[in-house]
Amino acid sequence: MSADTAAPAALTADAAVVGAGPAGLAAALELARAGLDVLLLDEQAEPGGQYYRRPGPEVLDAVGDHRPEGGRLVARVRAAGVRVLSGHTVWGVDDDRRTLLAASPGGAAVRVRARWVVAATGAYERSVPFPGWQLPGVVTPGLAQHMSAEGVRLGRRAVVAGSGPFLLPVACALLERGVRVVAVAEAGRPYTPGPASLGALRFPARLAELASYAARLARHGVRVHQDTVVARAHGADRVEAVTLTRFSDPERVVARHGVDLLCVGYGFRPQADLPRLLGCAVDRDPATGDTVPRLTPTGRSSVPHVYVVGEAAGAAGAPTALARGRAAALDILASSGRAPDRGERRRLAVHLASLAGFTRLTAALYPAPAELVPALARRLPGPTLVCRCECVTADAVRAAAAAEGGSDVPAVKGGTRAGMGLCQARECGPALEALRAGGPGTGTVPARVPLRPLPLAAVLELADTPGEDV
Amino acid sequence: MTPRSAARVEVTVDGRPVLVRPGTSVAAALLEQGRWDFRVDPVSGRDRGPYCGMGVCLECEVTVDARPHVRACLERVREGMRIDTAASGEDT
Ligand SMILES: Cc1cc2nc3c(=O)[nH]c(=O)nc-3n(C[C@H](O)[C@H](O)[C@H](O)COP(=O)(O)OP(=O)(O)OC[C@H]3O[C@@H](n4cnc5c(N)ncnc54)[C@H](O)[C@@H]3O)c2cc1C
Ligand code: FES
């Protein structure tokens, strides 16, 4: 084991940063440079998070490093003296609501106590169930992106579907690996009259980038369907075909394609369970329906020593994640008397505001998840597995939601076991929330300890920590 | 191509020796072999394969060196590693 992964059982630091993506790396760097003792924990094999996800050096040698700036940032973080604990999963918080409970790569329990906690846990992809989504070969666009970056050709014929700007680069990544992408299906109408129209608009650089992906797809003859969603994946033990229908007219079949790979995702959802366990106040984002921590512009939560940065604070892309990480670090330094340059903080605030403007502009092009997800969930055929972990059908969830007390998401979970399986409702959560009747009661899936199923050793060592909904 | 790009390490998948590219995730190594049956869903008895690629869905769990419930998308391959999927009959 490298120095990165050997850890004693109880650790203390000035600041504990959870998540080594762009946001966590930026925060850790700024804090360590100012002389703070910083611990950076991440469950992946190497720092980088999703955007700078780094396969092993052998892979980078063989298939190329498409984000070398990520490697440089990680090197600077190490050089600044940050203690990097890779392969460490933070799964809970002790009763003091301050001590983090983690598991080492070998499964041993690790306790971390710090003056400040920076949650930089990123986002995961928003899934909406459909018949057949549990078949092997049906994956999220992010999986397709990561495996393509590792040099894997995931299939021979693929359809990429869902909503959001991420679908286009993912389709391009698949093409680069020799996968024949037969269609991209976007639920909204962002590219009206056609994908090429993006290029004609005077949009900032990121949209120009999107236009270049659209152009590459056009060159490869990839059809981009708009107002189109996956109605069903077909297959016995693997995905074999997909039926696409109009979003605005579910009876209308757009196409049926034979495929051995189907990538479906509806953008990103903040992974904010850790701040919830730490007692941070949260709100429901009206546009996305996601539960997001209530924060100051510099990422400080309602619990003064807890900061939330990056996508965990709301999906907004890697440049925003970097800026949020730095802004939180400067705020921590200011509150600890190590007054950083005020001009620096002002410039960062202006930069963050302009990035937020761009995020709003992009979001406005695509359907709001808070409307899209319920529309899709409502039309699910009864036998569809809504909860893929516990195999709970749409009919069962609807029946529980219609029963007395069914307007309460925890009651629906308890009654059906939907959302109680391995993924802890991370995949079915949006659909579960959409399928409940509405009205009074808790409308959101609660955060629950443990955040990840635990290696047995860690459970036994901390056996007296009870499961608890927050 | 650099010489390292042609390098392979030997691992055991369900008892059989397999050459894989070093530095990849266990998930990538299995998918490259065309394997999508990582685990069997205990409720339906059907095969499941990796879904999220980032550690949250748990559909990619395999047994690594007798350690059960290892997320293949987060774990790197190592020379001599023993990977057991549901097909080995050992992972339950
Ligand atoms: C699968 C996937 C692929 C993506 N690919 C792209 C892309 O190609 N281009 C793009 O512009 N955007 C991409 N994104 C969006 C991306 O999330 C952001 O642009 C950027 O990575 C956000 O940075 P972050 O630092 O906030 O979080 P992340 O980069 O997501 O980093 C969060 C880190 O926290 C770790 N973590 C989370 N919970 C725990 C825990 N409990 N214990 C320990 N560690 C934990 C994670 O392993 C991860 O490394 C992707 C997102 C996902 C989910
Ligand atoms: S593929 Fe989802 S946890 Fe590995």
Side-chain angles (χ1 to χ4, degrees):
Chain A
M1 291 273 122
S2 68
D4 271 5
T5 46
L11 298 169
T12 56
D14 292 324
V17 180
V18 183
L25 288 167
L29 179 62
E30 206 68 40
L31 293 170
R33 269 191 182 152
L36 263 61
D37 177 22
V38 183
L39 265 174
L40 177 58
L41 297 103
D42 193 292
E43 63 179 341
Q44 295 200 57
E46 261 179 64
Q50 306 304 336
Y51 188 73
Y52 296 138
R53 187 179 199 254
R54 303 185 68 70
E58 303 91 338
V59 178
L60 296 179
D61 265 9
V63 303
D65 184 352
H66 68 302
R67 292 200 177 115
E69 70 276 22
R72 287 194 293 270
L73 178 56
V74 172
R76 283 162 68 209
V77 164
R78 290 187 194 280
V82 173
R83 287 185 285 158
V84 182
L85 294 180
S86 288
H88 281 65
T89 299
V90 174
W91 59 266
V93 172
D94 214 343
D95 292 342
D96 62 3
R97 292 234 164 147
R98 183 174 271 259
T99 307
L100 304 176
L101 305 174
S104 78
V110 179
R111 302 168 66 87
V112 178
R113 205 182 146 81
R115 169 84 184 77
W116 288 281
V117 175
V118 180
T121 46
Y124 50 92
E125 284 170 281
R126 180 180 291 105
S127 287
V128 184
F130 54 85
W133 72 307
Q134 74 279 8
L135 285 170
V138 179
V139 300
T140 63
L143 180 140
Q145 175 87 343
H146 286 340
M147 291 301 137
S148 298
E150 291 198 39
V152 181
R153 183 187 180 215
L154 275 178
R156 284 186 302 275
R157 281 169 65 87
V159 163
V160 179
S163 187
F166 191 45
L167 303 184
L168 305 188
V170 167
C172 290
L174 289 170
L175 286 174
E176 208 171 306
R177 288 284 160 259
V179 179
R180 176 142 186 260
V181 180
V182 289
V184 172
E186 159 64 50
R189 288 198 163 277
Y191 315 123
T192 308
S197 65
L198 270 180
L201 300 169
R202 285 185 298 111
F203 275 134
R206 275 284 292 290
L207 283 191
E209 188 187 323
L210 213 54
S212 84
Y213 292 129
R216 206 184 314 168
L217 295 178
R219 273 202 305 282
H220 281 86
V222 179
R223 187 74 196 276
V224 180
H225 298 287
Q226 303 193 76
D227 185 22
T228 301
V229 292
V230 172
R232 179 180 290 272
H234 311 263
D237 301 313
R238 267 289 298 278
V239 62
E240 289 162 14
V242 55
T243 299
L244 302 173
T245 54
R246 278 271 168 268
F247 172 62
S248 59
D249 178 6
E251 299 304 315
R252 200 157 137 231
V253 174
V254 173
R256 185 179 153 134
H257 294 292
V259 293
D260 59 357
L261 181 70
L262 174 61
C263 314
V264 192
Y266 290 87
F268 301 103
R269 312 180 74 205
Q271 185 155 34
D273 311 276
L274 182 61
R276 288 168 87 180
L277 296 180
L278 288 163
C280 302
V282 292
D283 295 305
R284 181 178 181 276
D285 181 322
T288 62
D290 296 331
T291 304
V292 288
R294 193 176 305 157
L295 302 172
T296 68
T298 50
R300 188 196 290 235
S301 74
S302 65
V303 179
H305 70 274
V306 178
Y307 285 73
V308 186
V309 299
E311 305 264 274
T320 301
L322 285 166
R324 283 180 179 160
R326 286 196 60 213
L330 294 181
D331 201 76
I332 288 174
L333 293 176
S335 69
S336 68
R338 273 167 255 240
D341 184 345
R342 293 189 63 163
E344 179 77 6
R345 292 174 76 194
R346 250 195 321 270
R347 274 192 298 281
L348 198 49
V350 171
H351 180 51
L352 269 169
S354 92
L355 286 170
F358 175 62
T359 301
R360 276 195 300 277
L361 188 72
T362 314
L365 286 174
Y366 299 91
E371 286 156 31
L372 185 60
V373 176
L376 291 170
R378 270 196 298 272
R379 64 176 73 153
L380 285 178
T384 313
L385 295 189
V386 168
C387 168
R388 53 189 288 144
C389 300
E390 296 290 323
C391 296
V392 183
T393 63
D395 269 350
V397 172
R398 286 185 185 118
E404 199 182 339
S407 62
D408 195 52
V409 169
V412 171
K413 282 177 69 184
T416 61
R417 292 204 54 78
M420 309 270 279
L422 289 176
C423 86
Q424 290 279 323
R426 288 190 179 81
E427 306 303 351
C428 67
L432 270 188
E433 292 174 0
L435 283 173
R436 77 174 187 121
T442 308
T444 52
V445 175
R448 193 163 208 287
V449 175
L451 296 175
R452 304 274 192 271
L454 287 177
L456 198 59
V459 187
L460 293 177
E461 280 176 59
L462 295 150
D464 56 345
T465 306
E468 179 193 5
D469 282 350
V470 174
Chain B
M1 281 228 269
T2 63
R4 285 175 81 181
S5 70
R8 291 288 185 274
V9 292
E10 188 174 304
V11 300
T12 309
V13 178
D14 298 333
R16 280 189 304 277
V18 174
L19 291 173
V20 301
R21 288 185 294 127
T24 63
S25 60
V26 170
L30 291 174
L31 291 169
E32 203 148 50
Q33 311 282 323
R35 292 288 305 275
W36 283 88
D37 52 337
F38 283 45
R39 57 184 282 265
V40 169
D41 167 49
V43 185
S44 63
R46 309 301 293 267
D47 286 347
R48 291 285 174 89
Y51 175 71
C52 74
M54 57 163 294
V56 300
C57 77
L58 292 295
E59 293 281 24
C60 67
E61 285 191 341
V62 294
T63 299
V64 169
D65 295 332
R67 205 158 34 101
H69 308 299
V70 173
R71 287 170 284 174
C73 66
L74 296 184
E75 188 84 5
R76 291 262 171 89
V77 294
R78 288 182 303 273
E79 177 82 51
M81 181 185 252
R82 221 183 79 207
I83 305 163
D84 290 299
T85 72
S88 75
E90 280 174 34
D91 184 286
T92 44

